[in-house]
Amino acid sequence: MTNWNEMSDEDFAQAAASFVERACPAELRYLPHRPRWDKSSVWYIAMSREGWLAPGWPVEFGGMGLDPSKHLTYLEVFERLGTPMVAPQGVVNVGPALIGFGTDEQRQEFLPKILSGERRWAQGFSEPNAGSDLASVRTEAKPDGDEYVINGQKIWSTGALDANWMYALVRTDKSVRKQAGLSFVMFPMDQRGVTVRPIRTISGGEEFCEVFLDNVRAKAEHVVGGVNNGWKVANGLLGFERLWSGSAHQCKQALVRLKDVARIAGKMDDPSFRQRYTRLELDVLDLAACYTRSTRNLQVTRRVGFEASMLKIWATETCQRIGELMMEIGGDAALVQGGMEIDDRHLDALTPFLEARAPTIYGGTVQIHRNILAKNVLNLPT
């Protein structure tokens, strides 16, 4: 087994780039949206087979065990080469939750099947009346022997059309304060009582879904972190999710697309455009540097701090500003869903603009994160 941390950063970057160029199909690179499993599974399986899938997982659980420097190099190379995020719920969310809060038996059962792609995951957190106020979830799980029977509804479940397992926050005790009566449970989606309905977004995609749960069964042994301790597990998971959403990944790819659109539109020599582009590029470089510092702190402290909220706001709003400039210079092609051919080249400014709307909402709206910073960092009254 290769010890990646013994390599120099330069050698590791070359190895990562060589793997991406060889294994990631060209048609999956620099996409404005997340591809479906039937198209992207070849890339997921290649990463799994060659040991490049889980850079942050410890080696003993099948990950790469990268130190902070190598992990950041990994992210930079994969971002620069435009690789897609494929079925990230398992690797980014469920895996770390099990490593941090699961039992040995849960890790042994689930982690290898996440890495192989056998179990693909959807998140069951948000509900129609419990979005940013996640503690208000009403989906209920009642004990029945060595199982729980779950009834309720989840919404905005990313990737649920392709998932065969869900991890969900459910209410297991109504007699205590709302945060204290929640449990984090996992269950298969290919069972009677699970209904998945896609939500078509303004960009035309169906990445998000609503999921209806009617007497769905979950094994008691698949509760993570203990009964009524789901709030702690969910907060740990959401910290990692928010830190990930604060990466410069999407912004860097958006800048690549913006430059392509500007070249096709003949704007690269326009002084006004170049000034605005440079400001955005500097914002993204500053974001990347701050993200680097935060991830290094995470490797040391093993705790996601309030800076995750700052990064989330910074990254998602910057990505929106890049999309807005793309729309402004895109001309007629900015009005056509899916783009159009101009001078034998494909120009699509509308899809990236529309795709940038949702990230300021999911994982907690930017307004919620500003309140978090105001209360916990600035000590302002709420």
Side-chain angles (χ1 to χ4, degrees):
M1 181 179 292
T2 304
N3 188 333
W4 302 110
N5 293 321
E6 290 183 350
M7 286 185 175
S8 69
D9 286 353
E10 182 179 353
D11 287 344
F12 177 74
Q14 290 178 352
S18 176
F19 166 70
V20 171
E21 296 288 11
R22 172 173 49 82
C24 186
E27 61 270 21
L28 293 178
R29 310 266 287 276
Y30 302 106
L31 295 176
H33 54 80
R34 187 175 296 165
R36 293 285 304 274
W37 176 254
D38 60 346
K39 291 182 170 42
S40 60
S41 58
V42 60
W43 171 232
Y44 188 101
I45 292 169
M47 286 191 289
S48 176
R49 182 177 61 247
E50 300 195 33
W52 287 90
L53 182 60
W57 291 19
V59 172
E60 59 267 31
F61 296 121
M64 298 177 73
L66 299 184
D67 63 28
S69 176
K70 294 296 184 301
H71 199 158
L72 291 167
T73 300
Y74 174 104
L75 293 173
E76 191 279 327
V77 170
F78 277 57
E79 290 170 358
R80 174 169 52 83
L81 296 178
T83 60
M85 289 290 289
V86 181
Q89 293 290 342
V91 174
V92 176
N93 288 334
V94 181
L98 290 171
I99 291 169
F101 300 97
T103 64
D104 288 339
E105 291 76 15
Q106 289 171 341
R107 297 187 192 106
Q108 290 168 9
E109 177 182 356
F110 287 96
L111 295 183
K113 293 177 181 178
I114 292 173
L115 293 175
S116 70
E118 178 181 343
R119 291 185 179 174
R120 301 178 301 280
W121 295 81
Q123 185 184 82
F125 278 11
S126 293
E127 296 181 10
N129 293 305
S132 296
D133 182 16
L134 189 57
S136 295
V137 299
R138 294 187 294 181
T139 295
E140 190 174 4
K142 295 183 178 180
D144 182 21
D146 59 357
E147 294 182 324
Y148 281 88
V149 179
I150 303 171
N151 285 280
Q153 178 188 357
K154 297 295 180 178
I155 199 166
W156 309 119
S157 296
T158 305
L161 282 176
D162 293 323
N164 51 24
W165 276 73
M166 172 174 274
Y167 64 95
L169 202 59
V170 298
R171 188 156 302 284
T172 44
D173 190 344
K174 295 181 178 179
S175 66
V176 295
R177 66 185 183 91
K178 58 185 183 179
Q179 289 89 348
L182 297 171
S183 297
F184 184 106
V185 64
M186 307 176 291
F187 55 85
M189 296 181 68
D190 55 351
Q191 61 172 296
R192 181 180 299 177
V194 178
T195 302
V196 179
R197 295 179 184 170
I199 300 171
R200 184 170 291 275
T201 65
I202 56 174
S203 64
E206 295 181 339
E207 181 179 358
F208 303 111
C209 301
E210 53 183 344
V211 181
F212 299 88
L213 308 171
D214 182 11
N215 291 326
V216 170
R217 290 188 170 268
K219 294 181 179 180
E221 64 195 53
H222 290 164
V223 173
V224 180
V227 176
N228 294 335
N229 200 34
W231 188 246
K232 180 178 180 180
V233 180
N235 271 287
L237 183 151
L238 286 171
F240 288 104
E241 180 180 78
R242 288 164 179 169
L243 186 62
W244 168 78
S245 69
S247 163
H249 174 83
Q250 296 295 331
C251 290
K252 287 181 178 179
Q253 293 201 9
L255 278 177
V256 171
R257 290 191 292 270
L258 174 58
K259 186 175 286 188
D260 286 342
V261 171
R263 285 176 181 145
I264 297 173
K267 293 290 187 179
M268 285 304 296
D269 294 327
D270 183 323
S272 176
F273 169 78
R274 292 187 66 84
Q275 182 181 52
R276 295 171 69 184
Y277 177 87
T278 300
R279 287 176 177 169
L280 288 169
E281 188 173 34
L282 290 173
D283 279 347
V284 174
L285 289 172
D286 285 343
L287 169 65
C290 192
Y291 184 79
T292 297
R293 184 183 65 186
S294 297
T295 52
R296 285 178 173 162
N297 288 341
L298 173 63
Q299 293 282 345
V300 174
T301 64
R302 298 292 174 182
R303 185 182 66 84
V304 179
F306 295 118
E307 65 269 18
S309 290
M310 176 192 68
L311 290 169
K312 150 89 178 185
I313 297 167
W314 192 350
T316 57
E317 291 188 345
T318 299
C319 202
Q320 285 190 351
R321 289 191 290 119
I322 295 171
E324 288 161 5
L325 181 55
M326 201 179 313
M327 282 284 288
E328 186 176 325
I329 67 170
D332 291 344
L335 305 176
V336 179
Q337 187 79 45
M340 61 187 297
E341 300 299 322
I342 297 180
D343 297 331
D344 297 324
R345 297 189 65 182
H346 188 74
L347 178 62
D348 184 1
L350 181 57
T351 300
F353 170 80
L354 296 175
E355 289 283 341
R357 302 301 99 190
T360 57
I361 300 172
Y362 62 61
T365 67
V366 292
Q367 291 83 5
I368 291 293
H369 287 289
R370 283 187 166 89
N371 285 340
I372 290 173
L373 293 172
K375 178 181 178 181
N376 296 285
V377 178
L378 302 177
N379 294 317
L380 294 177
T382 58

Coordinates of all heavy atoms in Angstrom, one line a residue, residues 103-135:
T103 N -20.5 2.4 15.8 CA -19.9 1.3 16.5 C -18.9 0.5 15.5 O -18.9 0.7 14.3 CB -21.0 0.3 16.9 OG1 -21.6 -0.3 15.8 CG2 -22.0 1.0 17.8
D104 N -18.1 -0.3 16.1 CA -17.2 -1.1 15.2 C -18.0 -2.0 14.2 O -17.6 -2.1 13.1 CB -16.3 -2.1 16.1 CG -15.3 -1.3 16.9 OD1 -15.0 -0.2 16.5 OD2 -14.8 -1.8 17.9
E105 N -19.1 -2.5 14.7 CA -20.0 -3.4 13.8 C -20.5 -2.5 12.7 O -20.6 -3.0 11.5 CB -21.1 -4.0 14.6 CG -20.7 -5.1 15.6 CD -20.0 -4.5 16.9 OE1 -20.2 -3.2 17.1 OE2 -19.4 -5.2 17.6
Q106 N -21.0 -1.3 13.0 CA -21.5 -0.4 11.9 C -20.4 -0.1 10.9 O -20.6 -0.1 9.7 CB -22.1 0.8 12.5 CG -23.4 0.6 13.3 CD -23.9 1.8 14.0 OE1 -23.1 2.7 14.3 NE2 -25.1 1.8 14.4
R107 N -19.2 0.2 11.4 CA -18.1 0.6 10.5 C -17.8 -0.6 9.6 O -17.6 -0.5 8.4 CB -16.9 1.0 11.3 CG -17.1 2.3 12.1 CD -15.8 2.7 12.7 NE -16.0 3.7 13.7 CZ -15.9 3.5 15.0 NH1 -15.6 2.3 15.5 NH2 -16.1 4.5 15.9
Q108 N -17.7 -1.8 10.2 CA -17.4 -3.0 9.4 C -18.4 -3.3 8.3 O -18.1 -3.8 7.2 CB -17.2 -4.2 10.3 CG -15.9 -4.1 11.2 CD -15.9 -5.1 12.3 OE1 -16.7 -6.0 12.4 NE2 -15.0 -5.0 13.2
E109 N -19.7 -3.0 8.7 CA -20.8 -3.3 7.7 C -20.9 -2.3 6.6 O -21.0 -2.7 5.4 CB -22.1 -3.4 8.4 CG -23.3 -3.7 7.5 CD -24.6 -3.7 8.1 OE1 -24.7 -3.6 9.4 OE2 -25.7 -3.8 7.4
F110 N -20.8 -1.0 6.9 CA -21.1 0.0 6.0 C -19.9 0.6 5.2 O -20.1 1.0 4.0 CB -21.9 1.1 6.7 CG -23.3 0.8 7.1 CD1 -23.6 0.3 8.3 CD2 -24.3 0.9 6.1 CE1 -24.9 -0.1 8.7 CE2 -25.6 0.5 6.5 CZ -25.9 0.0 7.7
L111 N -18.8 0.8 5.9 CA -17.7 1.6 5.2 C -17.2 0.9 3.9 O -17.1 1.6 2.9 CB -16.5 1.8 6.2 CG -16.9 2.7 7.4 CD1 -15.6 2.9 8.2 CD2 -17.4 4.0 6.9
P112 N -17.0 -0.4 3.9 CA -16.5 -1.1 2.7 C -17.6 -0.9 1.6 O -17.2 -0.8 0.4 CB -16.3 -2.5 3.1 CG -16.1 -2.5 4.5 CD -17.0 -1.4 5.0
K113 N -18.8 -1.0 1.9 CA -19.9 -0.9 0.9 C -20.1 0.6 0.4 O -20.6 0.8 -0.7 CB -21.2 -1.5 1.4 CG -21.1 -3.0 1.7 CD -22.3 -3.6 2.3 CE -22.1 -5.1 2.5 NZ -23.3 -5.7 3.1
I114 N -19.7 1.5 1.2 CA -19.7 2.9 0.7 C -18.5 3.0 -0.3 O -18.7 3.6 -1.4 CB -19.4 3.9 1.8 CG1 -20.7 3.9 2.7 CG2 -19.1 5.3 1.3 CD1 -20.5 4.8 4.0
L115 N -17.4 2.5 0.0 CA -16.2 2.6 -0.9 C -16.4 1.9 -2.2 O -16.0 2.3 -3.3 CB -15.0 2.1 -0.2 CG -14.5 2.9 1.0 CD1 -13.3 2.2 1.7 CD2 -14.1 4.3 0.6
S116 N -17.1 0.8 -2.2 CA -17.3 0.0 -3.4 C -18.5 0.6 -4.3 O -18.6 0.3 -5.5 CB -17.7 -1.4 -3.1 OG -19.0 -1.5 -2.5
G117 N -19.3 1.5 -3.7 CA -20.4 2.0 -4.4 C -21.6 1.1 -4.3 O -22.7 1.4 -4.9
E118 N -21.6 0.0 -3.6 CA -22.7 -0.9 -3.4 C -23.8 -0.2 -2.7 O -25.0 -0.4 -3.1 CB -22.3 -2.1 -2.7 CG -23.4 -3.1 -2.4 CD -23.0 -4.3 -1.6 OE1 -21.8 -4.6 -1.5 OE2 -23.9 -5.0 -1.1
R119 N -23.5 0.7 -1.7 CA -24.5 1.4 -1.0 C -24.3 2.9 -1.3 O -23.3 3.5 -1.0 CB -24.5 1.2 0.5 CG -25.0 -0.3 0.8 CD -25.0 -0.6 2.3 NE -25.5 -1.9 2.5 CZ -25.6 -2.5 3.7 NH1 -25.2 -1.9 4.8 NH2 -26.0 -3.8 3.7
R120 N -25.4 3.5 -1.9 CA -25.3 4.9 -2.3 C -26.4 5.6 -1.5 O -27.5 5.1 -1.3 CB -25.6 5.1 -3.8 CG -24.5 4.3 -4.7 CD -24.8 4.4 -6.1 NE -26.1 3.9 -6.5 CZ -26.4 2.6 -6.7 NH1 -25.4 1.7 -6.5 NH2 -27.6 2.2 -7.0
W121 N -26.1 6.8 -1.1 CA -26.8 7.4 0.0 C -27.6 8.7 -0.3 O -27.1 9.5 -1.2 CB -25.9 7.7 1.2 CG -25.3 6.5 1.8 CD1 -24.3 5.8 1.3 CD2 -25.8 5.8 2.9 NE1 -24.1 4.6 2.1 CE2 -25.0 4.6 3.1 CE3 -26.8 6.0 3.8 CZ2 -25.2 3.7 4.1 CZ3 -27.0 5.1 4.9 CH2 -26.2 4.0 5.0
A122 N -28.7 8.9 0.3 CA -29.4 10.2 0.3 C -29.6 10.7 1.7 O -29.6 9.9 2.7 CB -30.8 10.0 -0.3
Q123 N -29.6 12.0 1.9 CA -29.8 12.6 3.2 C -31.2 12.8 3.5 O -32.0 13.4 2.7 CB -29.0 13.9 3.2 CG -29.0 14.6 4.6 CD -28.3 15.9 4.6 OE1 -28.9 16.9 4.3 NE2 -27.0 15.9 5.0
G124 N -31.7 12.4 4.7 CA -33.1 12.6 5.1 C -33.1 13.6 6.3 O -33.4 13.1 7.4
F125 N -32.7 14.8 6.1 CA -32.7 15.8 7.2 C -33.9 16.7 7.0 O -34.9 16.7 7.8 CB -31.4 16.6 7.2 CG -30.3 15.9 7.9 CD1 -30.4 14.5 8.3 CD2 -29.1 16.5 8.2 CE1 -29.4 13.9 8.9 CE2 -28.1 15.9 8.8 CZ -28.2 14.6 9.2
S126 N -33.9 17.6 6.0 CA -34.9 18.6 5.8 C -36.3 18.1 5.6 O -36.5 17.0 5.0 CB -34.6 19.5 4.7 OG -33.4 20.3 4.9
E127 N -37.3 18.8 6.1 CA -38.7 18.5 5.9 C -39.4 19.8 5.5 O -38.9 20.9 5.6 CB -39.3 17.9 7.2 CG -38.7 16.6 7.7 CD -39.3 16.1 8.9 OE1 -40.3 16.6 9.4 OE2 -38.7 15.1 9.5
P128 N -40.7 19.7 5.0 CA -41.4 20.9 4.6 C -41.5 21.9 5.6 O -41.5 23.1 5.3 CB -42.8 20.3 4.2 CG -42.5 18.9 3.8 CD -41.4 18.4 4.7
N129 N -41.5 21.6 6.9 CA -41.6 22.6 8.0 C -40.3 22.6 8.9 O -40.4 23.0 10.0 CB -42.8 22.4 8.8 CG -44.1 22.7 8.1 OD1 -44.2 23.8 7.5 ND2 -45.0 21.8 8.0
A130 N -39.3 22.0 8.4 CA -38.0 21.9 9.2 C -36.9 21.9 8.2 O -36.3 20.9 7.8 CB -38.0 20.6 10.0
G131 N -36.5 23.1 7.8 CA -35.3 23.3 6.9 C -34.2 23.8 7.7 O -33.4 23.0 8.3
S132 N -34.0 25.1 7.8 CA -32.9 25.7 8.6 C -33.1 25.4 10.0 O -32.2 25.2 10.8 CB -32.8 27.2 8.3 OG -32.4 27.4 7.0
D133 N -34.4 25.3 10.5 CA -34.7 24.9 11.8 C -34.8 23.4 11.9 O -35.9 22.8 12.1 CB -36.0 25.6 12.3 CG -36.4 25.2 13.7 OD1 -35.5 24.8 14.5 OD2 -37.5 25.4 14.1
L134 N -33.7 22.7 11.8 CA -33.7 21.3 11.6 C -34.2 20.5 12.8 O -34.7 19.4 12.7 CB -32.2 20.8 11.3 CG -32.0 19.4 10.9 CD1 -32.9 19.0 9.7 CD2 -30.6 19.1 10.6
A135 N -34.1 21.1 14.0 CA -34.5 20.5 15.2 C -36.1 20.3 15.3 O -36.6 19.5 16.1 CB -34.1 21.2 16.5

